[in-house]
Amino acid sequence: MVDGGLRRALPGRCAFCLAPGQGGHPWCESCFESLPWNVPACPGCAEPRPSGTLAGRLCGRCVVTPPRFDKARVPLCYQGEITAMVRRFKFHASPRAGNVLLELLELGLPPKALAWPQALIPVPLHPRRARERGFDQADWLARRLSRRLDIPLVAARRCRDTRSQRGLDRMERRHNLRDGFEVTGRLPGRVALLDDVMTTGATLDALAQACRRAGAEGVEAWAVARTPLL
């Protein structure tokens, strides 16, 4: 009820510049067009590609070491206004920011993609870290998206409290999260994993591995924003 009330009460103004909103959305046309859309991007890991790259072509990393998920869908880059919006949501638990990011995620995913999964799995925080932060951003997004898409929400478990991924390179991130997740019970054939920000994809890759062990045959990685090329 709170989410519905916020959507009805707040879309009159753009969440980015406070100008009048457009078409019932919490953004204006100018801000929407200037957002850092993740196009073109690698279809395998959603890493932003240089302008002019052929659409649908895998990046070199995905060719050499394919991720354990089949496809990554991340409509925005973690830059500019999106960075500020994610931080308000993640570290200050702003429901307005969360609703804006969720709407952008839905709008940025093709209808066929939204209709594809049979279950949605948020990237879990370790219980100790969740208590310290007091807010689980992936779970918040996934609960609302599962209701909107009318698909089950499945909880995964983080097996150990791994060190922060900040400052680690790609290989260190993969090693840090090795066997870091567990999914109990049998999963349906098609599942989508959800996080707020995808950096190198190591976390979603480790969770995808756990989903494969639990019976998932098709796994997609979804996130709101992807970090730019390093």
Side-chain angles (χ1 to χ4, degrees):
M1 290 191 302
V2 171
D3 288 345
L6 284 168
R7 285 196 297 272
R8 289 191 296 272
L10 296 176
R13 291 287 171 180
C14 173
F16 301 100
C17 72
L18 299 182
Q22 178 192 21
H25 295 296
W27 51 69
C28 66
E29 181 177 2
S30 176
C31 286
F32 182 78
E33 291 179 353
S34 66
L35 289 176
W37 295 102
N38 189 15
V39 180
C42 170
C45 68
E47 184 169 67
R49 307 301 305 279
S51 178
T53 302
L54 292 176
R57 178 169 293 182
L58 293 173
C59 69
R61 291 190 181 94
C62 286
V63 171
V64 175
T65 309
R68 294 183 179 93
F69 45 81
D70 302 305
K71 182 182 289 291
R73 300 184 186 272
V74 188
L76 292 153
C77 290
Y78 188 61
Q79 294 175 320
E81 294 287 356
I82 293 300
T83 299
M85 187 68 67
V86 169
R87 288 176 177 171
R88 287 200 295 274
F89 171 58
K90 188 171 185 172
F91 299 113
H92 301 285
S94 166
R96 177 80 194 279
N99 275 298
V100 171
L101 294 172
L102 188 56
E103 284 199 41
L104 288 170
L105 173 64
E106 282 190 274
L107 192 65
L109 296 181
K112 286 185 178 180
L114 293 172
W116 179 82
Q118 296 171 305
L120 191 63
I121 305 177
V123 172
L125 287 174
H126 188 272
R128 184 184 68 80
R129 190 162 299 181
R131 287 193 300 269
E132 290 175 353
R133 184 179 295 176
F135 179 63
D136 188 334
Q137 71 279 356
D139 182 76
W140 192 98
L141 291 170
R143 287 183 181 279
R144 284 151 181 81
L145 187 58
S146 72
R147 288 198 294 267
R148 294 191 193 187
L149 301 182
D150 193 26
I151 57 175
L153 185 73
V154 177
R157 186 176 72 88
R158 191 177 284 256
C159 299
R160 62 183 188 277
D161 189 9
T162 55
R163 59 186 283 206
S164 172
Q165 296 281 78
R166 294 180 184 178
L168 303 182
D169 62 27
R170 290 174 183 269
M171 292 303 297
E172 289 171 335
R173 285 170 181 259
R174 289 175 67 93
H175 180 76
N176 187 42
L177 290 164
R178 183 176 299 166
D179 298 322
F181 297 100
E182 181 182 43
V183 179
T184 57
R186 192 73 177 173
L187 288 175
R190 304 188 306 271
V191 299
L193 317 179
L194 182 65
D195 207 354
D196 58 337
V197 177
M198 183 176 181
T199 304
T200 66
T203 301
L204 288 158
D205 186 79
L207 181 54
Q209 182 184 36
C211 291
R212 301 282 190 193
R213 290 196 296 261
E217 297 177 358
V219 182
E220 290 194 357
W222 295 1
V224 178
R226 183 68 154 86
T227 54
L229 290 166
L230 300 177

